[in-house]
Amino acid sequence: MEFRQLKTFVTVVKMLSFTKAANELGYAQSTITNQIQALEEEFCTMFFERLGKQIKLTKDGEHLYAYAEQILKLSDEAKDLISSSLIPKGSLTICTAESLCTHRLPEVFKTFRARYPNVEIDIRFDACSEYRTHLRKNTIDIVLFLDVPFNEADLVTHILFEEPMAVIAAPNHPLAKKTQVLPQDINGQALVLTDLGCSYRRIFESILAQAGAKPASILTFSGNEVIKKFVSDGWGIGFLPQVAVKQEIISQQLIELPWAGTPFNIQTQLIYHKDKWISPALRAFIDITLTTFKNR
């Protein structure tokens, strides 16, 4: 088993195409096929089901993928360490929330890119519930996310600022006329929310449950833009960071309901594993992020 074979395998998994992987890596498609076949022969199994031009990971393929990502990540860290330099280089894998990436982090990324153009940045969106798992498996370098403050011994946490949240609705929603909205007012209402794994959805639902409020239904989407569209079309009440709905409120496509219930206490946080090797690139990114939000 060679590193180039693992890199090829991971690329094929991400693109679900031998042809696209060949284009990405600059190989002939036959080279991609040969490398995957060599891996399968070495392990005496099949990593992909091949159905015409479509491919799908087998269970053994899923197991190898989990290890391959870690092996390649450790390999990159070893290269960075051995060729250590004060100039940040190499790669960073950053996991974050869509709303943060769109509305809070562009200034951080712009500053970092201007100073360190040779660092490759891989930005991933994933369920909030998986962030800590990824850090502990060392498949990502750092996380920026929204949640209540927490303290876990193996994770380093920097609280950047409190993230104001908005309970939103269409302008003609029945609750739009109220001077204050309590959790009990949500009882029997339809909701349009983010994925189940989303931390702030969990917090919102917890506040409703503690008040005994039971929504009539919940429509779930993974993207903020879809949620805003469905809320503005009258499908139900939404719950998103204020910064994500600012323009829609200004244009009166949405309104922010005057929430008078329990404060949400949701913070934007930066976390990484305490045993993580802080490469020059990672140190630079942490410093730029902390400085950017400290000066706000």
Side-chain angles (χ1 to χ4, degrees):
M1 181 171 61
E2 302 176 5
F3 281 113
R4 62 188 180 90
Q5 293 173 330
L6 289 180
K7 185 175 182 180
T8 295
F9 171 75
V10 168
T11 304
V12 172
V13 173
K14 289 180 177 179
M15 297 191 165
L16 287 178
S17 168
F18 281 44
T19 303
K20 291 179 180 178
N23 292 334
E24 175 72 14
L25 297 172
Y27 290 155
Q29 185 170 337
S30 59
T31 302
I32 299 291
T33 302
N34 291 338
Q35 289 186 13
I36 297 300
Q37 286 178 343
L39 273 177
E40 290 177 332
E41 289 173 3
E42 180 174 350
F43 284 91
C44 299
T45 189
M46 297 291 288
F47 294 130
F48 296 98
E49 291 184 48
R50 298 161 174 84
L51 303 173
K53 293 185 178 181
Q54 294 184 332
I55 60 172
K56 179 182 178 182
L57 267 182
T58 63
K59 199 66 179 177
D60 285 340
E62 291 176 3
H63 292 154
L64 179 62
Y65 181 64
Y67 283 102
E69 277 209 310
Q70 294 183 61
I71 292 169
L72 293 175
K73 192 73 179 173
L74 288 170
S75 173
D76 287 341
E77 289 184 7
K79 290 175 184 176
D80 284 344
L81 181 61
I82 292 169
S83 59
S84 182
S85 168
L86 294 178
I87 301 175
K89 56 187 178 182
S91 63
L92 283 179
T93 303
I94 301 165
C95 204
T96 189
E98 177 191 351
S99 58
L100 290 179
C101 189
T102 303
H103 302 284
R104 299 295 192 190
L105 297 177
E107 184 180 348
V108 172
F109 292 137
K110 182 178 179 181
T111 301
F112 187 85
R113 173 61 69 201
R115 293 182 188 176
Y116 311 111
N118 294 325
V119 178
E120 295 182 10
I121 299 177
D122 179 9
I123 301 172
R124 301 183 185 180
F125 303 121
D126 207 339
C128 301
S129 58
E130 298 298 320
Y131 289 161
R132 296 170 179 80
T133 300
H134 289 316
L135 287 174
R136 288 170 177 135
K137 288 183 176 181
N138 198 32
T139 54
I140 58 175
D141 295 310
I142 195 165
V143 173
L144 291 117
F145 75 127
L146 306 172
D147 207 339
V148 294
F150 70 94
N151 183 24
E152 297 187 28
D154 61 339
L155 300 177
V156 177
T157 303
H158 293 278
I159 295 178
L160 303 178
F161 54 87
E162 182 168 355
E163 188 69 59
M165 303 298 294
V167 181
I168 56 174
N172 60 352
H173 192 280
L175 295 183
K177 297 178 182 179
K178 293 184 70 68
T179 56
Q180 65 176 21
V181 172
L182 296 166
Q184 293 87 340
D185 295 317
I186 308 296
N187 190 57
Q189 297 288 339
L191 300 182
V192 184
L193 300 178
T194 46
D195 287 329
L196 284 169
C198 177
S199 57
Y200 54 81
R201 169 176 172 166
R202 182 190 70 242
I203 294 163
F204 185 50
E205 289 186 309
S206 175
I207 290 173
L208 297 182
Q210 289 173 15
K214 296 181 179 180
S217 64
I218 299 178
L219 194 58
T220 298
F221 293 106
S222 60
N224 291 349
E225 295 303 315
V226 181
I227 291 172
K228 290 188 288 186
K229 172 63 175 171
F230 272 71
V231 172
S232 68
D233 285 347
W235 285 76
I237 294 169
F239 182 62
L240 290 173
Q242 279 185 359
V243 69
V245 296
K246 181 179 179 181
Q247 292 305 316
E248 287 78 10
I249 291 174
I250 291 174
S251 65
Q252 298 184 338
Q253 293 174 269
L254 296 170
I255 62 162
E256 180 177 357
L257 297 177
W259 181 256
T262 303
F264 302 118
N265 191 30
I266 294 172
Q267 313 284 331
T268 291
Q269 302 171 55
L270 178 154
I271 62 172
Y272 54 91
H273 200 280
K274 70 179 182 62
D275 296 328
K276 176 72 179 175
W277 176 61
I278 308 299
S279 68
L282 182 54
R283 171 50 58 197
F285 183 82
I286 293 171
D287 290 345
I288 287 173
T289 302
L290 296 180
T291 300
T292 298
F293 292 114
K294 180 180 179 181
N295 294 335
R296 284 193 171 183

